[in-house]
């Protein structure tokens, strides 16, 4: 049995159409990243973990993500294949490490779509309550019989809609996504430019109330905030999962990743500074933090606009991630590690229908049953684990194939950057509790069982 057999999947041809340009990729990346992280998690993280110093947490998270983004950019230019980290590891480390990375990416994106749908529902509930409306209690929360809630209906409904949009041809789906991304920017720009006049500098006086925290094993502080805000940047890798539909992927994928990540980092820093300047950090542990801050300043009209836009545009994250994940499942199924039914494309729009429907159903179940906090921690630890594998793979790629050729992206300061990435990822992983580690261990066990029972025997390499 050879579980480290390799396959350069960049040589495989698919039936998808190349039509995505650099601007499409930037909007896809921004659409995937700017969502629950900025509209919801910023408030919770400031109130419970880092205070106004959350802005430093964001910078630390951005640096960590940027290093991994460099790895993605180099792999995308040297091994331009659909499937992101899964495809890169298949060519460099072998089949089983690639499957684990693919499985963890599936867990990440599946739970990310669920968490964003939950954040979307929180904003809609806040808007409805302001109008004196509410959803029946049994259908208004995740499974908790003691509290009288059994399923959160609103996230399920939005994911049914998102699945329908992604089943359209990809160009139509991404045009819809791009329009919503622009609308989302308008709301955040309004928050920054209006909110800046209501900042109270005394709210920043106790800048780091929880301290720096611990590099390993901490529960609060700037580092704990960084480990949670890592969640806010997830989705940048969605660009690399659509390589087969991108024009000039070796040039446009690295550019799309770097540009979208840079834009989002600046946006998050500005929003966090204004948010903690308007409202004292201790009051921000709410599901609709940005709108709450505006209401606290007496700007109900702006708060209502932000809420309406958040309700409309958090959908962009669901669309971007559902789009990317369905392509990843398609790629894995094409290699035989998942059932062949998931690699079928529709006759006219060339969309992986069964893979998209699977993503929609699984994400809807997670969003309807599991609470947002549990989802966020689980998807973070899954992501950090496969980013460690990616850092190991960039070292192996350099050892086996040397430096990138002219015109290919080059990760700076190798081997220092991969080693630094591994250290930071391990530090972030150590911030999570035993429940998160237990869920992570179970996910790894299930993924390993699937590979040895089904994947190894049905692999195309066989």
């Amino acid at each position: 049995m050879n579980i480290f057999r390799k396959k350069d999947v960049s040589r495989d041809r698919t039936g998808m159409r190349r039509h995505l340009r650099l601007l499409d990729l930037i909007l896809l990346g921004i659409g995937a990243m700017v969502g629950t992280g900025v509209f919801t998690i910023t408030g919770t993280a400031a109130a419970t973990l880092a205070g106004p110093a959350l802005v430093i947490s964001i910078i630390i998270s951005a640096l960590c993500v940027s290093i991994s983004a460099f790895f993605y950019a180099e792999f995308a230019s040297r091994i331009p294949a659909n499937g992101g980290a899964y495809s890169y590891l298949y060519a460099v480390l072998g089949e089983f490490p690639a499957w684990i990375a693919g499985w963890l990416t599936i867990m990440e994106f599946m739970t990310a779509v669920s968490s964003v749908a939950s954040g979307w529902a929180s904003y809609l509930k806040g808007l409805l309550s302001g109008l004196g409306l509410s959803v029946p209690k049994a259908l208004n929360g995740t499974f908790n019989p003691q509290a009288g809630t059994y399923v959160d209906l609103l996230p399920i409904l939005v994911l049914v809609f998102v699945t329908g949009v992604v089943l359209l041809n990809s160009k139509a789906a991404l045009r819809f996504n791009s329009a919503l991304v622009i609308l989302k920017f308008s709301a955040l720009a309004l928050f920054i430019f209006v909110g800046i006049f209501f900042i109270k500098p005394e709210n920043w006086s106790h800048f780091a109330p929880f301290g720096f925290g611990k590099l390993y094993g901490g529960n609060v502080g700037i580092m704990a905030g960084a480990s949670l805000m890592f969640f806010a940047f997830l989705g940048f890798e969605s660009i690399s999962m659509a390589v087969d539909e991108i024009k000039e992927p070796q040039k446009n994928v690295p550019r799309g990743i770097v540009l979208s990540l840079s834009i989002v980092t600046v946006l998050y820093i500005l929003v966090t500074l204004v948010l903690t300047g308007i409202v004292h950090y201790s009051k921000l542990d709410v599901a609709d933090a940005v709108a709450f801050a505006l209401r606290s300043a007496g700007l109900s009209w702006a708060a209502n606009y932000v809420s309406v836009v958040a309700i409309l545009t958090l959908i962009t994250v669901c669309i971007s991630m559902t789009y990317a994940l369905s392509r990843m499942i398609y790629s894995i199924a094409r290699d035989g590690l998942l059932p062949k039914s998931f690699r079928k494309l529709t006759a006219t729009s060339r969309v992986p229908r069964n893979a998209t429907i699977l993503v929609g159903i699984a994400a809807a179940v997670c969003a309807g049953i599991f609470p947002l906090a549990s989802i966020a921690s689980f998807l973070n630890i899954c992501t950090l684990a496969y980013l460690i594998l990616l850092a190991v793979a960039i070292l192996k790629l350099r050892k086996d194939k040397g430096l990138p050729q002219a015109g290919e992206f080059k990760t700076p300061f190798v081997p220092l950057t991969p080693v630094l990435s591994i250290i930071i990822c391990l530090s972030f992983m150590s911030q999570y509790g035993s429940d998160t580690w237990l869920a992570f261990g179970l996910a790894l066990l299930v993924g390993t069982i699937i590979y040895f029972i089904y994947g190894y025997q049905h692999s195309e390499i066989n």
Side-chain angles (χ1 to χ4, degrees), residues 188-241:
L188 293 176
L190 175 69
F191 173 71
I192 292 168
F193 290 121
V194 172
I196 199 169
F197 295 103
F198 294 86
I199 289 176
K200 300 174 183 177
E202 58 267 26
N203 286 334
W204 294 332
S205 60
H206 198 184
F207 188 70
F210 300 97
F212 183 78
K214 299 179 181 178
L215 287 176
Y216 289 90
N219 295 316
V220 295
I222 290 171
M223 283 304 297
S227 71
L228 183 60
M229 288 310 297
F230 184 81
F231 164 84
F233 291 97
L234 300 183
F236 74 91
E237 64 269 51
S238 61
I239 294 172
S240 67
M241 296 182 194

